[in-house]
Amino acid sequence: MGHEAAGVKGRDLVVFRRDYLLRMMEEMTEAVGAALGLRQQNRHTEALARLDELLKKRFRLSLPLLESLPPEQIIDLFRMGGAVEVDKLQQASRLLEEAGRTRQDMGEPDQGLQLLMKALHLYVYSALNGASMEPLRLPERIAAVHEQVREYLLPLELDQLLAAYFEREGMYAQADEIWFDLGVKQKPLLHEAVAFYDRLLQRPDDELERGGLSRTEAEQGKEELLQLE
C-alpha cells in the first residue's frame, strides 16, 4: 500500500510540474511575442520594459539586475534549499536572450552579445542539471544562441559547460572542437582534454560517427595533445 501511495504521489508531482511549466510557457510565449512585436516596430525601450515586467511578476527580479550580474550569481538567485530551480532559471534565461537581441537591435552590439552569452550559460547549466527540455525546446534555444555567439571568444566557464553538454548529447564533433582548443590554449586543462578523448575512444565506432567524429580523428586529437605535455 505504501509503495502504491508513493507511486501515485510521484505521478501527481510529475503532472503538477508539467502543468506548471505549460502555464509558465504560455505566459512566457506571450511576453516574448509582445517584445518581438515591439522590436519590429523599433519600440525597443518598451520591449525591454515588457521583459522586465514579466521578470518582476514571475521571479521578483528586475532586468537591470540580471543584466548586471555574472551567470554564477544569477544561478544563486534561483537556489532554493541547496538546489537550483532550473526550470525557472531557463525561463528567466529566455527573457535574457530576448533582451540581448533587443540590445543588438538598439545598436548596442557589445551589450547584446554579453547578454546572449549569459543566456547561453544559463541554458546549458539548466540542461546539465535536470531542467525539462520540452516546454522551452531547450536544445533548440541552446543551438540558436550558440550559433550566434560561437565566432566570438567565449568565457572559459561557458566553454567548459558547452563541452560537457555536447558530450552528453552525443555531439562529439562540437565537444572535440572545444576540448582540443582548451587543451592547446589552457595548459591546466590539458589533462582534462586528454581524458575527454579517452572517454570517446571507449565508445563504439558507429556512435562516434553519429556524433560527427571518427575514431581516427579522436586518436589524432589525443596524440596531438599528448605531444604538448
Side-chain angles (χ1 to χ4, degrees):
M1 182 71 176
H3 291 300
E4 182 179 341
V8 171
K9 183 178 180 181
R11 289 195 296 272
D12 288 345
L13 288 173
V14 169
V15 171
F16 175 80
R17 183 188 185 196
R18 182 194 63 201
D19 292 346
Y20 168 78
L21 287 172
L22 288 174
R23 287 196 301 272
M24 290 198 75
M25 280 312 306
E26 288 174 1
E27 191 168 8
M28 185 75 56
T29 300
E30 180 183 347
V32 170
L36 177 59
L38 291 168
R39 278 173 52 201
Q40 292 171 339
Q41 299 172 46
N42 293 320
R43 296 161 62 184
H44 300 111
T45 301
E46 292 175 65
L48 292 175
R50 181 70 181 88
L51 300 172
D52 182 56
E53 177 186 339
L54 184 56
L55 278 167
K56 289 176 179 175
K57 178 181 177 180
R58 274 296 179 188
F59 310 115
R60 297 183 181 179
L61 299 170
S62 71
L63 181 58
L65 174 65
L66 296 191
E67 288 182 321
S68 69
L69 292 177
E72 295 80 6
Q73 290 185 26
I74 295 176
I75 291 169
D76 284 339
L77 293 176
F78 287 85
R79 196 177 298 279
M80 182 70 67
V84 177
E85 297 181 292
V86 287
D87 288 327
K88 291 183 178 180
L89 178 63
Q90 66 164 315
Q91 292 172 52
S93 306
R94 180 68 184 92
L95 299 180
L96 267 181
E97 177 193 345
E98 190 63 26
R101 299 189 190 284
T102 303
R103 292 289 184 189
Q104 289 182 323
D105 287 352
M106 293 171 69
E108 301 175 4
D110 292 342
Q111 187 171 358
L113 178 64
Q114 290 303 313
L115 290 180
L116 289 175
M117 289 183 183
K118 190 181 299 187
L120 181 59
H121 184 121
L122 300 176
Y123 279 149
V124 178
Y125 179 92
S126 299
L128 288 171
N129 287 276
S132 177
M133 305 290 271
E134 286 302 322
L136 196 60
R137 296 180 179 176
L138 191 51
E140 294 178 25
R141 297 257 52 86
I142 291 173
V145 181
H146 182 240
E147 182 62 29
Q148 190 161 0
V149 305
R150 64 182 302 170
E151 298 303 321
Y152 298 91
L153 179 63
L154 302 183
L156 176 60
E157 295 80 4
L158 177 52
D159 264 336
Q160 290 176 289
L161 280 175
L162 282 166
Y165 170 77
F166 288 141
E167 182 179 355
R168 191 193 72 174
E169 296 301 306
M171 304 165 69
Y172 300 131
Q174 290 93 324
D176 161 69
E177 182 179 345
I178 295 173
W179 270 122
F180 186 82
D181 191 59
L182 289 177
V184 170
K185 296 179 180 178
Q186 302 286 339
K187 296 304 181 185
L189 296 178
L190 179 58
H191 290 295
E192 288 186 48
V194 172
F196 160 72
Y197 287 105
D198 285 336
R199 291 193 298 273
L200 285 192
L201 292 171
Q202 294 175 17
R203 299 188 179 278
D205 288 353
D206 59 341
E207 183 179 341
L208 292 177
E209 294 287 350
R210 286 196 300 273
L213 201 69
S214 69
R215 180 167 301 276
T216 299
E217 289 171 319
E219 290 171 343
Q220 288 175 344
K222 177 182 177 179
E223 183 60 32
E224 289 182 40
L225 290 182
L226 288 175
Q227 292 176 7
L228 300 177
E229 290 186 327

